[in-house]
Amino acid sequence: MRIYAVFVYLFLYAPIGIIVLFSFNAGRHASELRGLSVQWYGKALSNPFVGDAFVTSLEVALIVAILSSLLGTAAALALQRLKGSVRIFFDGLIYVSVMIPGIVIGIATLVALVTVFDFLNPWLASVWPEGVKPPQLHLGYTSVIAAHTLFTMSLVIIMVRARIAGMDRTLIEASMDLYATPWRTFYQVTLAQIYPAILAGFLLSFTFSFDDFIISFFVAGSNTTLPVYIFSSIRRGITPEVNAIGTMVLVGSLTLLMTAQYLMRDRGKH
Amino acid sequence: MVAVTSFRNVSKYYGDVTAAHNLNLDVTPGEFLSLLGPSGCGKTTSLRMIAGFDQPSAGEVFLEGECVNNVPAYRRPVNMVFQQYALFPHLNVMDNVAYGLRQLSPKPLAKEIDNRVSEMLELVQLASFNQRRIWEFSGGQQQRVALARSLINKPKVLLLDEPLAALDRKLRREMQIELQNLQRNVGITFILVTHDQEEALSMSDRVCIMQDGEIVQIGSPLDLYDRPKNRYVADFVGKSNFFEGVVGQMNKEGVDIKLDCGVSVELIANANTNDYKVGDRVCISVRPEQLTMVRDENLLSKNIAIKVRARVMNRIFLGEQTEYLLHNEQLGEFLALSSRRNELSERPFETNEIVFVAWSRDTVLILDGDE
Amino acid sequence: MREQSNSNRWLTVVLLAPTTLWFLFMLIMPLIVILIFSFGERAAVGGYGGGFTFAQYANLPARLKAFQNTMTYAPVGTLLSLLVAYPLAYYLALKVDRRYKLILLVLVIVPFWTSLLIRTYAWIYILGGRGIPAMLEWLGFEAVRLINTPGAVLVGIVYGYLPLMVFPIYVSLEKLDKSLLEASNDLGGNPYRTFFASHLASLNARCGHGLYAGFYPVDGRVSDPGFSGWGESILHR
């Protein structure tokens, strides 16, 4: 079993190895290795657009992950109390929002938001007090976050609900019986039982949002996320600069991960 | 003395289903009471109403003289041991046992919690196990952790919902004895729900027999065995042979009962027989061990209520006793128990052997007959 | 009691409200707008021109091939992802020491923090002329064409959807801790039967979710320019 796991990780990291290798390519072509150099790292680091796009992506992904895990968990808890047609209705919406292709939701959201904004902006301008600059609704940060969250929130709901469904109801009664108030019971028992699902949901949401290109491409407006920036730079011809960016993200996150693991090494030992 | 918990006309309905009907019950402080009955008789519902998980549809539940109908479960000074233990899988043994203490406000000092947990684990003979994860424990050990967890707050009443049902037979016997000792040591009132009559009779001070959401009879195990109120109780508490009939003649010394099968039974008048009058439909109950089986009818005493010939149909060896299934043309099939001592003085009865069966005039019990 | 159930109802509404708003504005509204637009006519300058026509639907047969591709790749890809993901999720959930669970789980998604596009390039390199085929040749085997084959597309699907499969399965299996298996052992159950009973039950009840989560995006996204084939078309542009 362990050998199998090692193979799956090898499968997952095989292309990553190639990415890292080519980031040191001296040549300017992505598919031909011509000596080693770190020049592309310098290029990537000195490129202000890369930094901006990275920060935007990070912010968007973090907000998406936080929003999805909070709202998704809340919804999962509420749905578990519901029965009948309301429940079926929500189940339907959840599965639709998971199954719907990114390209469809990207275009649909773009079209819908632009239509709504075209209608709302003149109206806002007309009702706004004289002399004050009326707000201008436009695509950007918020629309990317909202569009990503639709998908990731549903993922969280599905995972948390699987967890709740498998939970032993008598644990809650046992907690109440031992003098824990409903609120304390919630965070000492219910939350303690479902937190792996919330954590997994958070990580998956972050990953989806950080890596998403299609939806962001349509609804990001002028705010460029990293995948969108990379796509546009590829159009001008792909260079190992992109690999260098990927490698830096990778090294950064692995470093963070190891640090976290090191700091938490004493917890959960028993 | 104020009852530690009581029911006053308590009923519980789930839609059209009656789970409990007009229950009245007083539990004495410090006693070990069992609620005994088949599944669906309302025993678990009653327990849950004391714990506060279910609210009565009508009537009042009292704890130490105060009505607790509107008191939520987490404010009731009672604790429960659940059928599947309901231990918290994300906590270790120490944290499971300490759970109840940590909910108190003000929260006890860490040192005191430690001491109390050790004390409890010692009580259930699990000292030095406190850092273990609960899944490393066997069923019996988990049961003990559950006990320690529910006793740590020194509840007024400990509720036990079929706590031994998940254990195998041998372990169950051990835990029964342990539970009984534990109850005597801590002096806390125990209310045990069970469908196992042997368990209820062997452990409890009093047993409350329930049927279809109602309490049929409450009494000590001996009371219930010797003076069951009706056929249901007699049948539930031990085995018995029942014969339907009508009260024939009655005088100061005795009662004659004409059984429907044509056999006549003479009984000695006592408190039990005085409840009936001539012409009443009754049912007589004879415990298998009250029957005497002999080969030679001259060995029977004169003081017998009935004497019949019967054929041995089947024999079941039970260790210290042997159970015989007998058949008589008029009485039909019935059971008799013969002790090992009898068997040794004579040789055991064989299948198909014809024997004389009798029972004495003072051992038979008269119960209400069928409508 | 009545009061309590009332406050419960309010709690449910409050908990569900944000999600409802999201579905309303980010899912239902855009889909309705798209539906309306799909019946519209193309304006002279491009974009929506109002009107009502089925003209856009008349074009659909031309896209039949894409639909067919989706319909064959999606189920096969899902099943493959499940086969690859389940043992890994099982291993992570039940066999790994608690201390390393989280880090191993995060390691499953770290590759996806690089960019989809460069991962695609990397796969093209691995499956393309200078990757595995060259390696096979070097080892003395016959070189095979891997890139732009159905196999390559499936590798792409499995790779891309692995986290989406592993995580839900992990979450549902991790719950099934050893105490459950232990408890059923005490009831005298045969350990193997116990294992398979609880195992299959959880697979059935919970993997359904993993399957849903995994299946549908595959369904939709293969019809996006196909994974490996698409990358190459960009390369050779």
Side-chain angles (χ1 to χ4, degrees):
Chain A
M1 198 122 203
R2 175 173 294 174
I3 295 164
Y4 177 83
V6 169
F7 268 108
V8 177
Y9 280 105
L10 277 180
F11 172 60
L12 281 168
Y13 281 87
I16 305 308
I18 301 288
I19 291 171
V20 174
L21 182 67
F22 275 91
S23 71
F24 295 107
N25 193 354
R28 57 168 295 109
H29 214 275
S31 46
E32 232 181 305
L33 206 54
R34 286 201 185 127
L36 298 178
S37 122
V38 289
Q39 59 159 319
W40 298 109
Y41 285 88
K43 282 237 166 69
L45 285 173
S46 61
N47 184 341
F49 296 112
V50 171
D52 286 352
F54 174 75
V55 171
T56 307
S57 273
L58 199 62
E59 282 173 356
V60 167
L62 274 177
I63 295 173
V64 165
I66 292 168
L67 268 181
S68 327
S69 20
L70 280 179
L71 302 184
T73 305
L77 287 167
L79 282 173
Q80 158 239 1
R81 302 149 159 262
L82 289 176
K83 283 191 186 73
S85 55
V86 188
R87 169 104 185 226
I88 292 169
F89 177 70
F90 273 96
D91 281 356
L93 287 178
I94 290 163
Y95 288 124
V96 167
S97 53
V98 172
M99 71 178 238
I100 203 159
I103 193 155
V104 172
I105 202 68
I107 294 175
T109 311
L110 171 73
V111 172
L113 289 182
V114 166
T115 312
V116 171
F117 291 166
D118 281 353
F119 173 77
L120 279 182
N121 278 334
W123 179 77
L124 274 175
S126 69
V127 297
W128 222 250
E130 202 86 13
V132 189
K133 191 169 174 287
Q136 189 73 25
L137 298 174
H138 55 83
L139 294 170
Y141 238 60
T142 322
S143 49
V144 179
I145 291 170
H148 283 175
T149 304
L150 175 73
F151 174 74
T152 55
M153 187 171 65
S154 300
L155 273 186
V156 174
I157 294 177
I158 289 173
M159 288 203 280
V160 172
R161 218 167 50 176
R163 191 86 181 182
I164 293 176
M167 211 173 97
D168 186 358
R169 289 282 307 159
T170 56
L171 291 182
I172 289 171
E173 283 184 350
S175 169
M176 300 273 241
D177 188 57
L178 292 163
Y179 313 141
T181 57
W183 173 240
R184 292 184 67 118
T185 296
F186 173 72
Y187 74 77
Q188 289 177 20
V189 178
T190 312
L191 215 54
Q193 295 274 309
I194 61 177
Y195 105 91
I198 302 175
L199 186 65
F202 181 91
L203 291 170
L204 211 50
S205 303
F206 179 87
T207 306
F208 172 82
S209 175
F210 194 76
D211 195 41
D212 170 74
F213 156 68
I214 296 166
I215 296 176
S216 311
F217 178 74
F218 286 107
V219 299
S222 55
N223 292 56
T224 310
T225 64
L226 197 55
V228 175
Y229 172 78
I230 290 174
F231 183 76
S232 58
S233 75
I234 280 174
R235 286 176 141 181
R236 294 190 298 270
I238 180 155
T239 66
E241 183 186 345
V242 177
N243 293 56
I245 299 169
T247 305
M248 285 191 286
V249 172
L250 200 73
V251 170
S253 39
L254 286 178
T255 311
L256 271 177
L257 199 61
M258 296 303 164
T259 316
Q261 180 71 14
Y262 178 75
L263 290 176
M264 294 195 304
R265 70 193 181 283
D266 289 330
R267 282 182 41 194
K269 218 177 221 169
H270 48 254
Chain B
M1 189 153 45
V2 180
V4 64
T5 183
S6 349
F7 281 165
R8 286 285 164 271
N9 307 319
V10 168
S11 298
K12 177 71 184 173
Y13 310 107
Y14 294 102
D16 292 340
V17 182
T18 303
H21 180 67
N22 204 27
L23 303 181
N24 282 289
L25 176 68
D26 286 301
V27 183
T28 321
E31 80 169 322
F32 195 137
L33 177 86
S34 289
L35 303 179
L36 175 65
S39 61
C41 72
K43 56 191 194 302
T44 299
T45 304
S46 306
L47 203 70
R48 292 174 59 83
M49 286 193 287
I50 300 173
F53 301 140
D54 286 335
Q55 308 304 323
S57 311
E60 290 160 312
V61 177
F62 290 88
L63 275 177
E64 298 198 302
E66 272 177 58
C67 174
V68 290
N69 278 19
N70 293 317
V71 178
Y74 53 88
R75 289 215 195 94
R76 295 192 189 189
V78 297
N79 287 131
M80 180 133 147
V81 176
F82 292 82
Q83 190 170 357
Q84 297 296 339
Y85 323 134
L87 295 174
F88 303 119
H90 55 288
L91 302 177
N92 65 16
V93 170
M94 153 99 196
D95 292 333
N96 261 285
V97 176
Y99 194 91
L101 277 185
R102 295 201 170 127
Q103 312 308 319
L104 301 178
S105 66
K107 196 162 126 183
L109 296 172
K111 183 144 179 52
E112 200 200 324
I113 293 179
D114 275 0
N115 288 342
R116 288 282 291 283
V117 170
S118 308
E119 196 183 310
M120 282 301 132
L121 287 175
E122 215 155 292
L123 191 69
V124 296
Q125 301 166 26
L126 279 181
S128 81
F129 281 105
N130 54 4
Q131 289 302 315
R132 285 238 210 142
R133 291 252 146 205
I134 56 151
W135 62 68
E136 296 173 274
F137 279 122
S138 70
Q141 288 171 318
Q142 291 191 21
Q143 180 66 75
R144 287 171 204 206
V145 177
L147 266 171
R149 183 179 72 172
S150 53
L151 283 171
I152 199 162
N153 284 70
K154 300 197 173 105
K156 301 291 181 217
V157 183
L158 184 73
L159 307 168
L160 302 111
D161 185 9
E162 304 253 10
L164 309 179
L167 304 178
D168 64 42
R169 200 182 152 79
K170 190 159 167 286
L171 199 54
R172 195 157 65 218
R173 279 304 302 161
E174 285 171 27
M175 282 304 291
Q176 282 173 8
I177 294 164
E178 221 170 281
L179 262 182
Q180 234 178 329
N181 291 336
L182 188 68
Q183 198 260 342
R184 287 194 198 112
N185 286 343
V186 295
I188 290 172
T189 312
F190 276 29
I191 301 180
L192 171 84
V193 156
T194 180
H195 65 271
D196 180 341
Q197 49 114 344
E198 191 192 319
E199 187 170 297
L201 295 182
S202 64
M203 294 165 77
S204 329
D205 298 321
R206 284 200 304 161
V207 177
C208 169
I209 295 190
M210 299 185 70
Q211 177 189 22
D212 300 334
E214 297 190 45
I215 293 174
V216 183
Q217 190 175 4
I218 307 175
S220 71
L222 204 62
D223 271 349
L224 297 174
Y225 194 82
D226 286 346
R227 283 179 290 281
K229 197 171 158 193
N230 59 23
R231 195 170 162 166
Y232 176 79
V233 177
D235 203 20
F236 215 91
V237 182
K239 284 179 180 169
S240 200
N241 298 302
F242 299 103
F243 304 104
E244 300 282 334
V246 184
V247 180
Q249 291 172 331
M250 248 182 139
N251 57 37
K252 274 185 197 137
E253 274 96 56
V255 183
D256 257 19
I257 293 175
K258 289 245 175 297
L259 297 185
D260 295 348
C261 58
V263 177
S264 180
V265 187
E266 277 177 52
L267 302 175
I268 294 178
N270 58 26
N272 172 232
T273 57
N274 290 341
D275 297 342
Y276 302 93
K277 57 185 193 300
V278 174
D280 278 351
R281 276 211 64 81
V282 293
C283 170
I284 62 172
S285 158
V286 190
R287 298 279 182 200
E289 71 271 19
Q290 292 171 327
L291 291 169
T292 313
M293 290 169 70
V294 287
R295 289 198 172 86
D296 177 2
E297 66 177 306
N298 295 325
L299 290 175
L300 292 171
S301 81
K302 294 283 168 282
N303 191 26
I304 51 172
I306 188 171
K307 182 181 80 186
V308 293
R309 286 158 61 91
R311 179 187 292 275
V312 176
M313 307 296 290
N314 195 10
R315 186 173 71 174
I316 300 168
F317 180 64
L318 297 175
E320 66 269 43
Q321 288 179 314
T322 307
E323 185 182 273
Y324 292 94
L325 178 65
L326 302 166
H327 182 262
N328 169 275
E329 272 168 26
Q330 287 174 301
L331 294 173
E333 289 190 340
F334 55 97
L335 291 172
L337 270 181
S338 163
S339 74
R340 193 97 183 96
R341 219 172 34 171
N342 273 1
E343 303 269 287
L344 290 174
S345 59
E346 253 188 286
R347 73 198 146 76
F349 301 100
E350 302 293 338
T351 311
N352 279 329
E353 198 179 342
I354 305 291
V355 294
F356 289 97
V357 181
W359 62 77
S360 84
R361 296 175 60 182
D362 49 3
T363 52
V364 177
L365 199 72
I366 307 182
L367 305 168
D368 292 340
D370 287 349
E371 296 309 306
Chain C
M1 271 320 268
R2 167 103 334 161
E3 254 168 61
Q4 205 184 342
S5 73
N6 251 341
S7 75
N8 262 338
R9 197 159 305 150
W10 272 111
L11 185 62
T12 308
V13 170
V14 170
L15 289 175
L16 212 46
T19 314
T20 314
L21 283 178
W22 234 276
F23 284 143
L24 205 60
F25 286 106
M26 298 308 295
L27 181 67
I28 299 174
M29 189 183 80
L31 289 184
I32 290 175
V33 170
I34 276 282
L35 189 70
I36 295 172
F37 275 37
S38 74
F39 292 109
E41 278 168 29
R42 184 182 275 262
V45 289
Y48 181 58
F52 185 82
T53 167
F54 285 102
Q56 308 306 327
Y57 288 87
N59 274 333
L60 281 184
R63 313 259 185 265
L64 195 62
K65 185 73 187 132
F67 275 115
Q68 278 174 347
N69 276 343
T70 303
M71 280 333 205
T72 45
Y73 281 127
V76 178
T78 303
L79 201 67
L80 265 179
S81 309
L82 181 67
L83 285 178
V84 175
Y86 191 88
L88 181 68
Y90 183 88
Y91 177 74
L92 292 180
L94 297 173
K95 298 283 173 200
V96 169
D97 188 296
R98 291 171 56 83
R99 273 170 288 174
Y100 304 115
K101 269 185 181 179
L102 187 61
I103 188 161
L104 285 175
L105 200 61
V106 176
L107 280 178
V108 173
I109 51 169
V110 165
F112 297 85
W113 295 353
T114 62
S115 169
L116 167 73
L117 290 136
I118 48 174
R119 277 197 315 276
T120 309
Y121 275 109
W123 269 118
I124 291 166
Y125 187 84
I126 293 173
L127 298 174
R130 269 162 285 188
I132 292 177
M135 207 152 79
L136 287 174
E137 213 167 3
W138 186 73
L139 288 170
F141 292 95
E142 204 174 318
V144 283
R145 182 182 159 80
L146 291 176
I147 199 74
N148 273 341
T149 59
V153 177
L154 287 178
V155 167
I157 291 173
V158 170
Y159 189 87
Y161 290 100
L162 208 54
L164 228 44
M165 278 290 188
V166 170
F167 273 58
I169 300 173
Y170 167 85
V171 163
S172 35
L173 283 181
E174 204 256 347
K175 164 75 197 64
L176 193 140
D177 53 46
K178 291 160 192 137
S179 67
L180 283 177
L181 295 172
E182 193 89 11
S184 39
N185 259 339
D186 281 327
L187 295 168
N190 163 340
Y192 292 100
R193 215 181 53 206
T194 311
F195 173 78
F196 279 110
S198 46
H199 206 79
L200 286 181
S202 72
L203 182 82
N204 211 12
R206 291 149 194 182
C207 216
H209 290 299
L211 211 67
Y212 274 124
F215 184 80
Y216 288 113
V218 173
D219 221 342
R221 282 163 208 194
V222 176
S223 61
D224 305 348
F227 197 88
S228 298
W230 169 56
E232 198 172 57
S233 69
I234 294 181
L235 251 191
H236 293 190
R237 195 194 301 248

